[in-house]
Amino acid sequence: LSNGQNLSNAINSTARGLTGAQSSANQQVQQTVAQINALTEQIAQLNGQLAQVPAGKDAGTTQDKLDRLVQQLSGLTNISVTQSGDGETITTGSGAPLVMGGQSFNLQTAPGAGGLQQVLDSNGNNITASITGGTLGGAIQIAGKVIPGFLAQLNTLASQFATSFNAAQATGFDSNGNAGADFFTIPANPANAAAGITLAINNPSQVAISS
């Protein structure tokens, strides 16, 4: 009984840890989008300043600052940078505009299936699937694919183990002569098996160890 309780507690704890990590990654999607918007606004302002520098004048300090901001932006998400007459034009990997000359285009977030944050371009188009790089791409992958994959495996483990153990218990009799009752209880919804597995009995006399 003690080992059974320890096992169910460990599975519960692991499920909570994974769910918590998923929630943190989901929050990071929103936070990173806010950082991206702040950087693109600054880059657009610097583009505007560079466009006003007379030909032949040194704009090194402003250009250096712009380059640093673009480098920071590339660490947050996959981008494409091209030069134009108005300065640098920056788009996402899917081609959604982020900066065009002196104008910036903010990304947005909106909850999707299961509450996972989706990333939308300035026109409201969902571009989540096309974001693969940087901090934003990593957070999207962790929240939407990596952790759900681990949780699915853990739920399967909890469900199959409890079902098999209960089946073995049902073949025997307890010390009162009764047919073995379930040793573990698992939720009806398989998606909650790991978070909800508990010990179904609390008395050693209920352990069906007699044939």
Side-chain angles (χ1 to χ4, degrees), residues 105-123:
F105 301 84
N106 284 349
L107 297 179
Q108 311 164 56
T109 58
L116 295 179
Q117 292 297 322
Q118 304 295 294
V119 180
L120 314 178
D121 66 16
S122 58
N123 293 319

Side-chain angles (χ1 to χ4, degrees), residues 34-209:
Q35 291 177 305
I36 289 171
N37 290 338
L39 285 172
T40 55
E41 288 173 7
Q42 294 177 63
I43 291 169
Q45 290 175 1
L46 292 175
N47 270 343
Q49 293 175 22
L50 287 171
Q52 296 175 8
V53 175
K57 283 266 188 173
D58 182 17
T61 301
T62 303
Q63 185 64 54
D64 288 345
K65 186 175 181 181
L66 177 63
D67 292 342
R68 286 195 299 271
L69 292 178
V70 172
Q71 186 174 17
Q72 290 178 40
L73 182 62
S74 68
L76 296 179
T77 187
N78 50 318
I79 59 173
S80 176
V81 182
T82 57
Q83 294 290 335
S84 67
D86 297 328
E88 294 187 350
T89 295
I90 303 175
T91 63
T92 65
S94 64
L98 294 175
V99 177
M100 295 183 70
Q103 185 177 6
S104 62
F105 301 84
N106 284 349
L107 297 179
Q108 311 164 56
T109 58
L116 295 179
Q117 292 297 322
Q118 304 295 294
V119 180
L120 314 178
D121 66 16
S122 58
N123 293 319
N125 300 310
N126 192 329
I127 60 171
T128 310
S130 68
I131 299 174
T132 57
T135 303
L136 182 58
I140 290 171
Q141 282 288 111
I142 290 171
K145 293 186 178 180
V146 176
I147 292 180
F150 287 145
L151 276 171
Q153 293 179 54
L154 187 64
N155 284 324
T156 298
L157 172 65
S159 179
Q160 290 184 351
F161 181 83
T163 299
S164 297
F165 202 98
N166 288 346
Q169 169 95 342
T171 64
F173 297 87
D174 64 22
S175 59
N176 298 314
N178 299 316
D182 284 351
F183 193 90
F184 291 103
T185 299
I186 51 174
N189 184 348
N192 297 327
I197 184 173
T198 58
L199 210 60
I201 61 177
N202 55 23
N203 192 315
S205 68
Q206 295 174 288
V207 180
I209 58 174

Side-chain angles (χ1 to χ4, degrees), residues 24-36:
S24 295
N26 202 34
Q27 291 176 4
Q28 189 175 36
V29 171
Q30 290 180 295
Q31 294 166 357
T32 305
V33 165
Q35 291 177 305
I36 289 171

Side-chain angles (χ1 to χ4, degrees), residues 1-10 183-184 199 201-204 207:
L1 285 175
S2 176
N3 288 338
Q5 185 65 64
N6 290 340
L7 176 62
S8 60
N9 287 345
F183 193 90
F184 291 103
L199 210 60
I201 61 177
N202 55 23
N203 192 315
V207 180

